[in-house]
């Protein structure tokens, strides 16, 4: 843009008239009036841009600022430094964790071996030390919890399927995981399991099966081979605590079924002995020859409570016989008669009833304690060298017998 120039002419002031050929001086007010023909905005617009360009062109040279570039480089190199620091921290944490886990596994292995040797176990128990980290607990000589699982512990006639114990607040006496002299267990809670599968193998000899029968009962069902034939055997056992550290059983309801003919219960009580089943008694009354042979024995008639006159009339009159034997009370009385004494005195009676006399002889020689011994069992917890260990409760479940155990102040390894 061009810059308007205001030309000023200084005319010589003279008192005299103007001279020809010399231009007359211009009026300054006319020049101001000419500026009105050009707006001020146009004037400023036209002159501002070139002025700024000239100012930029005439700006003095200054040296570059190197500090600004150094900040950019520090920011760029600071991120990799932070990443490398985090990598080192993570690596160190991993190494410390691996060392802690290795020490834990080593301590669990050593504890398992010591328990196996001291308890004379066939298999090493499983030891799990709780809490993290382990090394800090070891340095403080205190463990939060230790869980020990011991399988297959012999206990007289049976094997304890599994013994699980969890100890809390254990004080360690030692100098490290390789030099532990002993420990003080403040509290311990555990459970003993005697499974029915082991009982079937050890007590039943694959012929008797044990199942749960109520909260504290066990039912045994199977077969018993006697006098050349298999007899169905049934028994009910009650599980009870024997003191603070023992379990015992009392066997009741022992019963041997001779097919569907008779039932034998060892003992001398009225409900025990050899008795006809309701089905065999009903069948006997339908066969005249057998029932007459039955009524011909005075011992039996006396135990039936039937008058002698009625018996004599029944033996000579078929109608009287059917009338007597068809009475519900007569059938009930027949099933309550113990045939042991009568059968031993009259062996022919057993043959008439379809029973083998040699089987009865074998049954009478088999006493109740002998049969009960086949299904009874007991065990005792070992007495700890220090502190107390006792059985809390016993329950019977679907899988077997469970016993709750608790203890306090146990000293181990001393």
């Amino acid at each position: 843009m061009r810059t308007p120039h205001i030309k000023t002419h200084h005319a010589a002031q003279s008192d005299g008239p103007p001279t020809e050929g010399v231009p007359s001086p211009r009026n300054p007010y006319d020049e101001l009036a000419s500026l009105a023909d050009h707006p001020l905005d146009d004037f400023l617009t036209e002159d501002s841009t070139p002025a700024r360009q000239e100012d930029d062109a005439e700006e003095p040279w200054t040296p570059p600022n190197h500090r600004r570039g150094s900040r950019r480089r520090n920011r760029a190199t600071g991120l990799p430094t932070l990443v490398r620091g985090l990598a080192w921290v993570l690596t160190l944490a991993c190494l410390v964790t691996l060392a802690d886990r290795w020490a834990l596994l080593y301590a669990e292995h050593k504890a398992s071996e010591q328990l196996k040797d001291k308890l004379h176990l066939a298999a090493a128990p499983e030891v799990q030390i709780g809490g993290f980290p382990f090394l800090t607990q070891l340095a403080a000589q205190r463990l939060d919890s230790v869980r020990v699982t011991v399988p297959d512990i012999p206990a007289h006639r049976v094997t304890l399927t599994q013994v699980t114990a969890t100890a809390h607040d254990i004080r360690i006496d030692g100098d490290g995981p390789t030099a532990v002299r002993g420990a003080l267990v403040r509290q311990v809670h555990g459970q003993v399991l005697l499974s029915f599968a082991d009982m079937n193998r050890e007590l039943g000899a694959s012929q008797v099966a044990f199942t749960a029968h109520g909260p504290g009962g066990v039912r045994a069902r199977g077969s018993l081979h006697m006098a050349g034939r298999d007899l169905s055997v049934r028994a009910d056992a009650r599980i009870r605590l024997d003191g603070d550290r023992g379990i015992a059983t009392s066997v009741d309801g022992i019963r041997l079924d001779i097919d569907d003919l008779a039932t034998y219960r060892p003992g001398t009580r009225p409900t025990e002995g050899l008795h006809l089943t309701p089905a065999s008694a009903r069948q006997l009354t339908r066969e005249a020859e057998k029932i007459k042979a039955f009524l011909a024995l005075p011992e039996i008639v006396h135990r039936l409570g039937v008058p002698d006159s009625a018996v004599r009339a029944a033996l000579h009159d078929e109608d009287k016989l059917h009338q007597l034997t068809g009475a519900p009370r007569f059938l009930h009385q027949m099933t309550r008669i113990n045939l042991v004494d009568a059968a031993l005195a009259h062996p022919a009676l057993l043959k008439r009833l379809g029973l083998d006399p040699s089987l009865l002889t074998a049954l009478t020689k088999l006493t109740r304690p002998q049969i009960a011994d086949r299904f009874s069992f007991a065990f005792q917890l070992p007495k700890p060298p220090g502190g107390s260990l006792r059985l809390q409760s016993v329950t019977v479940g679907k899988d077997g017998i469970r016993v709750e155990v608790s203890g306090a102040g146990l000293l181990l390894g001393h």
Side-chain angles (χ1 to χ4, degrees):
M1 297 179 64
R2 63 185 178 82
T3 303
H5 296 279
I6 302 175
K7 297 180 181 180
T8 58
H9 299 273
H10 300 281
Q13 294 183 1
S14 168
D15 293 338
T19 308
E20 282 186 15
V22 178
S24 62
R26 298 183 61 182
N27 189 348
Y29 294 101
D30 294 336
E31 293 183 0
L32 291 176
S34 66
L35 290 176
D37 298 335
H38 302 280
L40 184 60
D41 293 339
D42 294 340
F43 175 79
L44 294 177
T45 303
E46 291 176 357
D47 292 346
S48 59
T49 302
R52 283 195 301 267
Q53 290 179 352
E54 291 178 0
D55 292 341
D56 293 340
E58 295 177 357
E59 183 180 356
W61 177 87
T62 56
N65 188 357
H66 296 286
R67 294 182 180 179
R68 188 178 301 172
S70 63
R71 291 197 190 98
R72 295 194 186 100
R73 284 193 297 271
N74 288 337
R75 292 174 183 173
T77 57
L79 183 59
T81 302
L82 179 61
V83 172
R84 285 195 298 270
L86 291 176
W88 278 108
V89 171
L90 291 176
T91 303
L92 182 60
C94 292
L95 292 176
V96 172
T97 303
L98 289 175
D100 185 84
R101 296 298 91 186
W102 180 88
L104 175 67
L105 294 176
Y106 182 81
E108 291 176 345
H109 177 70
K110 294 296 291 184
S112 177
E113 289 183 345
Q114 291 181 5
L115 287 175
K116 178 183 177 182
D117 295 338
K118 292 182 178 181
L119 298 179
H120 306 287
L121 302 175
E126 180 183 352
V127 178
Q128 295 178 335
I129 300 176
F132 179 83
F134 169 69
L135 292 177
T136 57
Q137 298 183 70
L138 191 62
Q141 294 187 340
R142 179 184 179 275
L143 299 180
D144 294 337
S145 65
V146 176
R147 180 182 177 88
V148 180
T149 303
V150 186
D152 301 331
I153 300 179
H156 302 291
R157 297 183 59 195
V158 295
T159 298
L160 304 181
T161 307
Q162 187 180 80
V163 177
T164 303
T166 302
H168 300 276
D169 193 7
I170 304 102
R171 305 294 179 175
I172 303 174
D173 180 14
D175 300 325
T178 60
V180 176
R181 292 180 293 272
L184 171 62
V185 180
R186 297 295 178 86
Q187 290 184 348
V188 62
H189 299 279
Q191 189 178 82
V192 178
L193 171 63
L194 175 59
S195 69
F196 288 135
D198 289 339
M199 292 177 61
N200 295 340
R201 183 182 66 254
E202 296 170 348
L203 298 180
S206 301
Q207 296 178 350
V208 178
F210 294 88
T211 56
H213 182 54
V218 176
R219 173 172 291 173
R221 297 290 184 269
S223 62
L224 183 64
H225 189 77
M226 293 187 65
R229 64 188 302 173
D230 291 329
L231 307 181
S232 299
V233 59
R234 302 181 182 185
D236 295 327
R238 302 296 300 178
I239 313 299
R240 57 182 176 84
L241 294 176
D242 185 13
D244 292 338
R245 296 183 293 107
I247 292 294
T249 54
S250 57
V251 181
D252 250 341
I254 301 175
R255 170 179 164 181
L256 298 173
D257 293 331
I258 308 171
D259 297 332
D260 200 22
L261 297 176
T263 298
Y264 179 75
R265 295 181 176 89
T268 58
R269 290 180 291 186
T271 57
E272 297 169 342
L274 182 65
H275 298 265
L276 295 174
T277 64
S280 63
R282 191 176 297 107
Q283 182 66 29
L284 181 62
T285 59
R286 296 172 184 170
E287 300 180 14
E289 293 299 326
K290 289 185 178 181
I291 191 62
K292 286 181 179 181
F294 191 77
L295 294 176
L297 299 178
E299 299 92 340
I300 294 179
V301 175
H302 177 71
R303 295 180 182 179
L304 282 173
V306 181
D308 293 341
S309 58
V311 174
R312 286 193 298 268
L315 291 176
H316 295 87
D317 188 344
E318 294 288 336
D319 293 336
K320 296 288 183 180
L321 178 64
H322 292 308
Q323 185 180 358
L324 175 64
T325 58
R329 184 175 180 275
F330 181 82
L331 289 175
H332 178 68
Q333 289 296 109
M334 285 185 65
T335 59
R336 298 187 63 182
I337 295 177
N338 186 359
L339 299 177
V340 174
D341 297 335
L344 290 177
H346 305 279
L349 176 63
L350 291 180
K351 293 182 180 180
R352 287 180 177 270
L353 297 178
L355 298 175
D356 187 359
S358 62
L359 177 61
L360 180 61
T361 303
L363 288 175
T364 55
K365 292 182 179 179
L366 185 63
T367 63
R368 179 184 179 88
Q370 290 175 339
I371 300 178
D373 185 64
R374 295 172 179 262
F375 313 110
S376 63
F377 59 90
F379 68 86
Q380 289 280 333
L381 290 178
K383 187 176 181 180
S388 63
L389 187 64
R390 58 180 300 175
L391 302 178
Q392 294 286 355
S393 62
V394 55
T395 57
V396 180
K398 184 178 180 180
D399 55 347
I401 302 168
R402 294 185 180 273
V403 184
E404 300 295 329
V405 184
S406 66
L410 300 179
L411 293 174
L412 304 177
H414 291 277

